[in-house]
Amino acid sequence: MTRFQDIGDLPLRLGGVLRGARLAYITRGRLAPDRRNAVLLTHGYTSSHTFIEGGSGASEGGWSDLVGPGLAIDTERFYIVSSNMLGSSFGSTAPRSTNPATGRPYGPDFPPITLTDIVAAQRRLLDALGVRGLHAVVGPSYGGFQAFTWGVEHPDFVRCLVAAVSGLTAPRSLDPASLAARLAEDPNWNGGHYYDRPGGVLGTMTAVREETLRRYGLDDELARHLPDKAARDAEIHQRARDWAEAADAHSLLVLGRALDHYDLRGELSRIRARVLYVLSRTDRLFPPSLAAEVMPALAATGVSATYVEIDSDHGHLASGTEAAQWTPALRRFLDRTP
């Protein structure tokens, strides 16, 4: 069940303060007496904190086979906190939230945020839950960005980082400027004030989502069970529309623009946690060739890092859909951390 935590007024890295911020989250397991057995799970760009429950809404592949009793992220051992990102469409303070200064949704007036702000909000959430130290921060894609940022921003609070289908910089395909231009062409956009327009920007958002799911490799995943192409196309379109009905275009822009300030290649010396870096053989967003850059960069700054490559045709979805391939490595990695 999703819960909500007020985290107060949050100063932002680029200036200003987000008043009365809150985060949506779910938990599994119990916090140990020393309050240091927590694992923070961080979700992807277009998914939500419920990605650990699986289902069609988990863009980067549902992680229900990774999180649970006796699984690699063991809820009988760890206290799991899956946090919805600041700025996300799915429950945390975001553009669709009410601006206390106006009594209306922020919309295009939502202040610019960074990965540092997203992590700062999560730290406040963990403080409110009584967590005194993290065993790990674990996440796919944009969630991996958050994991790496945690290692840089709070090196003494987290013991290990797991970044799957992710990197130290954002992929060029995440282009908020192009997305903004595309949204502006929608007749209901209204300079970004589309919330009271019938139908909103549902058509544009559905099309964007469908393209994203195909780029992530959903067609190849569905082919195992739906050999008929027309049936796969219909399924992808329906998943895209279901997502678009719940998502907010401004959240995509806010989180996309946050990546303009994400590049940790010069800050790796601040990381003290051990790192597990996981890529998928067929991922077009974060191809395996990235390992040749990331792993030496971590080693050069003294970070203890392990690399795992998932041999899968499922592209960006593989960390969830092919969980069995890297579960043993994840379990060993978490077990080795004191």
Side-chain angles (χ1 to χ4, degrees), residues 229-309:
K229 184 179 185 303
R232 294 200 304 275
D233 289 345
E235 175 66 17
I236 291 171
H237 178 76
Q238 187 59 55
R239 291 192 188 190
R241 184 178 176 87
D242 290 345
W243 174 88
E245 288 176 344
D248 177 22
H250 285 300
S251 283
L252 291 187
L253 295 175
V254 164
L255 294 177
R257 289 165 179 158
L259 296 180
D260 291 342
H261 309 277
Y262 177 73
D263 185 346
L264 298 183
R265 289 175 294 184
E267 302 182 68
L268 299 181
S269 62
R270 297 169 62 183
I271 295 177
R272 298 182 183 177
R274 296 169 56 251
V275 172
L276 177 63
Y277 187 48
V278 182
L279 296 176
S280 163
R281 175 177 58 82
T282 53
D283 189 354
R284 288 182 286 174
L285 275 77
F286 300 96
S289 57
L290 281 178
E293 171 191 344
V294 172
M295 296 303 290
L298 291 169
T301 55
V303 176
S304 174
T306 303
Y307 174 65
V308 172
E309 186 172 310

Side-chain angles (χ1 to χ4, degrees), residues 30-305:
R30 294 187 178 185
L31 191 60
D34 69 357
R35 300 180 180 272
R36 299 179 187 275
N37 70 324
V39 172
L40 177 67
L41 298 179
T42 51
H43 64 85
Y45 177 45
T46 59
S47 60
S48 81
H49 56 297
T50 63
F51 80 107
I52 64 172
E53 298 172 348
S56 61
S59 307
E60 293 76 22
W63 276 27
S64 58
D65 291 335
L66 289 165
V67 183
L71 298 181
I73 305 176
D74 190 350
T75 53
E76 294 179 335
R77 175 185 176 192
F78 300 119
Y79 176 59
I80 309 302
V81 180
S82 185
S83 167
N84 186 240
M85 274 191 286
L86 186 73
S88 163
S89 299
F90 304 105
S92 296
T93 297
R96 198 158 44 190
S97 303
T98 299
N99 181 348
T102 65
R104 296 174 58 83
Y106 284 99
D109 300 323
F110 193 78
I113 62 174
T114 66
L115 266 292
T116 301
D117 299 319
I118 292 170
V119 166
Q122 292 166 346
R123 176 62 191 266
R124 288 196 179 188
L125 167 64
L126 295 173
D127 288 344
L129 294 176
V131 174
R132 294 180 181 171
L134 284 170
H135 187 82
V137 181
V138 187
S141 195
Y142 207 118
F145 300 160
Q146 295 168 69
F148 278 130
T149 303
W150 261 96
V152 168
E153 293 294 319
H154 301 285
D156 296 323
F157 196 79
V158 57
R159 293 190 286 278
C160 57
L161 311 172
V162 180
V165 292
S166 191
L168 300 173
T169 61
R172 294 178 181 177
S173 58
L174 286 179
D175 184 359
S178 295
L179 176 60
R182 185 172 178 179
L183 288 166
E185 294 175 353
D186 191 296
N188 282 340
W189 183 242
N190 191 32
H193 299 281
Y194 77 89
Y195 294 139
D196 57 355
R197 295 293 180 99
V201 291
L202 179 62
T204 300
M205 289 288 280
T206 300
V208 168
R209 178 62 165 177
E210 187 167 342
E211 293 164 12
T212 299
L213 291 175
R214 291 183 182 280
R215 187 168 64 249
Y216 284 179
L218 182 58
D219 189 68
D220 289 330
E221 181 196 351
L222 292 175
R224 295 186 299 176
H225 310 293
L226 291 175
D228 181 65
K229 184 179 185 303
R232 294 200 304 275
D233 289 345
E235 175 66 17
I236 291 171
H237 178 76
Q238 187 59 55
R239 291 192 188 190
R241 184 178 176 87
D242 290 345
W243 174 88
E245 288 176 344
D248 177 22
H250 285 300
S251 283
L252 291 187
L253 295 175
V254 164
L255 294 177
R257 289 165 179 158
L259 296 180
D260 291 342
H261 309 277
Y262 177 73
D263 185 346
L264 298 183
R265 289 175 294 184
E267 302 182 68
L268 299 181
S269 62
R270 297 169 62 183
I271 295 177
R272 298 182 183 177
R274 296 169 56 251
V275 172
L276 177 63
Y277 187 48
V278 182
L279 296 176
S280 163
R281 175 177 58 82
T282 53
D283 189 354
R284 288 182 286 174
L285 275 77
F286 300 96
S289 57
L290 281 178
E293 171 191 344
V294 172
M295 296 303 290
L298 291 169
T301 55
V303 176
S304 174

